Amino acid sequence: METLNFSFIIPVYNRPNEIKELLESFSNFEGQHTYEIVIVEDGSTETSESIVKLYNNQLDISYYFKENSGPGDSRNYGMEKAKGNYFIILDSDVLLPSNYLVEVKTFLDTSYYDCFGGPDAAHSSFSNLQKAINFAMTSFITTGGIRGGKQNVEDFQPRSFNMGLSKKAFLASGGFGKIHPGEDPDLSLRLRKLGFKTTLIETAFVYHKRRISWSKFYKQVHKFGMVRPILNQWHPNSKSIVYWFPTVFSLGFIVSIVMAIFQMHLLLYFYELYFATAFILALISNRSLSVAFQALLAIIIQFFGYGLGFLKSTFNLVILRKNPEDSFPQLFF
């Protein structure tokens, strides 16, 4: 295996403050490493160029400005410009632990993969809302750990907020497609068809500082739900009954409330047990009553948003047999 030369690829859109926090976390890396940072400004009106200049003497940074074409295309642009032979793709709203690159390099030096993903976590400095949403997005009781749990390590589908990709795999696959969100599992599934293996590096986590509100969170998970049937259509082998869970959960919750009105409480008791378990887990992991209560709201929004999006997309693609780009143009660049 050739020596690994890392290039960090970071697309950004109107988020100079995020870039400042991220670059500051780079400056705190442990160990002696040679790497470059490639920042791709995706048509921003509020650019990060002045922030990048502050770190030019500390870090090896390349800065590019291009017309807005979406995060997937911007990542491809960055990888085309990069000098390294192994790309690490990050979102602009993450912070890196000081040992991040140590963990990545140690893993790949001993167990090489052409594509990896890492989990996301909540930093102690995050707001209660950010911690609650992080719990909903990452807990085994909500997502089954698909964003970084210990199971299915060999079949892990990396997410582009924390993803590694070899130059060889990038050139073979052509990189990310035009869909968003969903460009990262689409790439993972195409890589698998090409014979590349993906994995999870559990210790290579990032702090994912989502700049989000309840309404934005709903819109995000709603899009996630709409995208999944499209991916299932493009990659039939990826279909799983698990993706129906948020829809079934949401419809069942409504049914349980209606049944309770007619003095039939059994189904509602199951939901009460589930939410009680989630509350306890959120309380234990965050040690905050406020976060635990908000986590319950985040779970409900996540399941209803995703479930409705999944159902709507399935109806359009499977029942009405519509073209994905015609049905959901907002998901394509």
Side-chain angles (χ1 to χ4, degrees):
M1 183 185 71
E2 63 180 325
T3 301
L4 295 178
N5 296 309
F6 293 104
S7 295
F8 286 87
I9 312 298
I10 307 166
V12 60
Y13 181 71
N14 289 337
R15 292 291 188 270
N17 290 336
E18 288 181 352
I19 288 298
K20 188 177 189 306
E21 293 177 333
L22 177 51
L23 293 179
E24 187 62 29
S25 69
F26 272 106
S27 68
N28 295 321
F29 267 2
E30 296 174 3
Q32 298 295 318
H33 304 289
T34 300
Y35 61 89
E36 69 165 337
I37 302 169
V38 180
I39 294 178
V40 180
E41 196 85 62
D42 187 26
S44 300
T45 54
E46 187 179 358
T47 73
S48 305
E49 187 173 9
S50 62
I51 301 297
V52 171
K53 288 180 180 178
L54 296 176
Y55 289 87
N56 272 335
N57 293 331
Q58 301 177 50
L59 302 168
D60 180 6
I61 310 176
S62 298
Y63 175 85
Y64 299 96
F65 184 95
K66 52 179 278 300
E67 292 185 2
N68 180 257
S69 59
D73 187 62
S74 294
R75 297 183 192 110
N76 293 343
Y77 183 94
M79 288 186 280
E80 289 170 357
K81 298 291 187 180
K83 306 182 192 76
N85 57 15
Y86 207 102
F87 310 128
I88 298 178
I89 300 151
L90 303 173
D91 279 355
S92 63
D93 61 351
V94 304
L95 305 175
L96 297 174
S98 59
N99 65 336
Y100 177 85
L101 194 52
V102 172
E103 297 295 338
V104 170
K105 190 174 187 307
T106 300
F107 184 96
L108 294 177
D109 282 344
T110 55
S111 304
Y112 181 80
Y113 285 79
D114 283 287
C115 182
F116 77 84
D120 54 342
H123 193 270
S124 58
S125 66
F126 287 7
S127 70
N128 287 346
L129 173 60
Q130 289 169 327
K131 291 176 181 177
I133 290 176
N134 180 79
F135 177 83
M137 295 289 283
T138 62
S139 174
F140 178 81
I141 200 172
T142 56
T143 60
I146 62 171
R147 293 171 65 91
K150 293 182 180 180
Q151 62 286 346
N152 300 325
V153 170
E154 291 291 333
D155 295 326
F156 184 68
Q157 294 180 14
R159 299 299 192 267
S160 53
F161 62 82
N162 181 15
M163 179 181 189
L165 182 68
S166 71
K167 184 174 183 178
K168 177 182 177 182
F170 167 64
L171 293 175
S173 63
F176 295 94
K178 296 294 186 181
I179 193 169
H180 177 73
E183 70 274 20
D184 30 19
D186 171 57
L187 175 56
S188 299
L189 291 166
R190 287 190 286 111
L191 287 171
R192 194 177 303 170
K193 290 178 182 178
L194 292 169
F196 294 99
K197 293 183 178 181
T198 62
T199 192
L200 166 70
I201 304 181
E202 187 183 353
T203 55
F205 68 91
V206 299
Y207 298 114
H208 202 172
K209 193 173 186 177
R210 298 177 178 88
R211 311 282 185 172
I212 206 162
S213 63
W214 289 121
S215 61
K216 289 179 180 178
F217 180 51
Y218 176 83
K219 290 177 182 178
Q220 181 186 54
V221 293
H222 187 67
K223 285 184 177 181
F224 287 163
M226 289 193 293
V227 159
R228 180 50 62 176
I230 297 173
L231 297 178
N232 290 344
Q233 187 180 83
W234 291 351
H235 310 282
N237 291 338
S238 71
K239 290 181 180 179
S240 172
I241 196 170
V242 171
Y243 298 128
W244 279 96
F245 177 74
T247 303
V248 174
F249 182 97
S250 302
L251 294 176
F253 188 48
I254 295 172
V255 170
S256 73
I257 294 174
V258 173
M259 291 175 63
I261 294 173
F262 294 96
Q263 304 302 311
M264 293 179 286
H265 297 93
L266 181 60
L267 183 57
L268 187 59
Y269 289 151
F270 284 107
Y271 280 92
E272 290 174 350
L273 177 61
Y274 175 86
F275 284 119
T277 303
F279 179 85
I280 292 170
L281 292 176
L283 183 61
I284 292 173
S285 62
N286 291 280
R287 300 180 182 179
S288 167
L289 283 171
S290 175
V291 173
F293 280 115
Q294 289 187 73
L296 298 184
L297 178 57
I299 290 170
I300 292 172
I301 291 174
Q302 180 180 11
F303 283 162
F304 273 81
Y306 186 105
L308 179 60
F310 184 90
L311 192 62
K312 180 167 61 176
S313 182
T314 299
F315 181 78
N316 275 272
L317 301 183
V318 178
I319 306 300
L320 300 182
R321 298 185 178 278
K322 290 186 176 181
N323 180 276
E325 296 192 33
D326 294 335
S327 297
F328 308 106
Q330 71 272 30
L331 300 179
F332 296 87
F333 277 89

